[in-house]
Amino acid sequence: MKWEADARTLYKEVVKNIPLPVKLIAAPSISRAAEKGAFKCGHKAVSKAGLIEGIFEAVPQSYRARVVANLTALGIDCNEYLNSLAQRAPVQKDLLALWDSLIKLGKEFQIHVNEVRTRAVLETFSPFFRNSPLTFRLESLTDAPPELTVRYLETMKPHTPDPLTTAVLKGFMAEDTSSPFALFEEMKLSFDILERRPV
């Protein structure tokens, strides 16, 4: 399929900024996604806008923050593309189904689930548990009882306030002077996703 000149130029700039090991997979994936989108819309060539949509379609959500930063550095406003993706996103996950899964897994592996505390955490962070990728982890060590965790990964929507502050305010954990708290405070200075800052 043909590419418009500005789309081809942007593609080269974007691919240039991808680390080599990832580039071998990402570059053709982006190209295919852009061409597929153009074909689906009945276009004869890949446009700059079509390429940007293809980039967001091809790149995993966990890397989207980096993509936004790279495109923004190239003078591209990513908001309209992210809004378009959000409108096409799958239906929100049902927190009741997630709750049932946690209870079943707990019973299956004989792990005690503090129901009151777990429900409170799910409800407090429900926007993220509903809309973000989730991971389940079961850890079993010989000298400790088995442990079940469920986590979300969110790199695009900021937490207000940050998740650690929310956990302290809700009583999920006590604030102290341990290294994790100090590390998190340091991270907030570098990563806007952890806390929305005034412009």
Side-chain angles (χ1 to χ4, degrees), residues 42-167:
H43 299 153
K44 294 180 180 179
V46 174
S47 65
K48 184 176 177 181
L51 170 62
I52 297 168
E53 287 188 7
I55 291 170
F56 283 112
E57 289 285 348
V59 173
Q61 184 167 342
S62 56
Y63 287 95
R64 281 190 187 160
R66 188 178 301 175
V67 170
V68 169
N70 289 340
L71 289 175
T72 302
L74 294 171
I76 294 166
D77 182 0
C78 298
N79 287 328
E80 63 178 289
Y81 302 100
L82 292 172
N83 291 336
S84 176
L85 275 177
Q87 291 172 2
R88 290 177 293 184
V91 177
Q92 292 183 341
K93 288 183 284 294
D94 185 351
L95 285 186
L96 290 176
L98 174 58
W99 173 253
D100 288 342
S101 297
L102 289 173
I103 296 300
K104 286 177 185 175
L105 284 169
K107 287 179 180 176
E108 179 73 23
F109 293 99
Q110 299 179 344
I111 299 171
H112 172 69
V113 177
N114 183 326
E115 296 192 14
V116 173
R117 193 174 180 86
T118 305
R119 278 185 186 273
V121 170
L122 289 178
E123 289 170 6
T124 298
F125 297 101
S126 62
F128 305 102
F129 278 111
R130 286 182 189 276
N131 297 304
S132 307
L134 300 180
T135 61
F136 288 81
R137 180 179 179 185
L138 179 65
E139 186 173 351
S140 182
L141 303 173
T142 54
D143 58 346
E147 199 173 273
L148 171 66
T149 59
V150 59
R151 300 174 184 177
Y152 61 81
L153 173 66
E154 180 52 69
T155 60
M156 298 306 299
K157 298 175 185 173
H159 293 66
T160 308
D162 65 78
L164 188 60
T165 298
T166 300

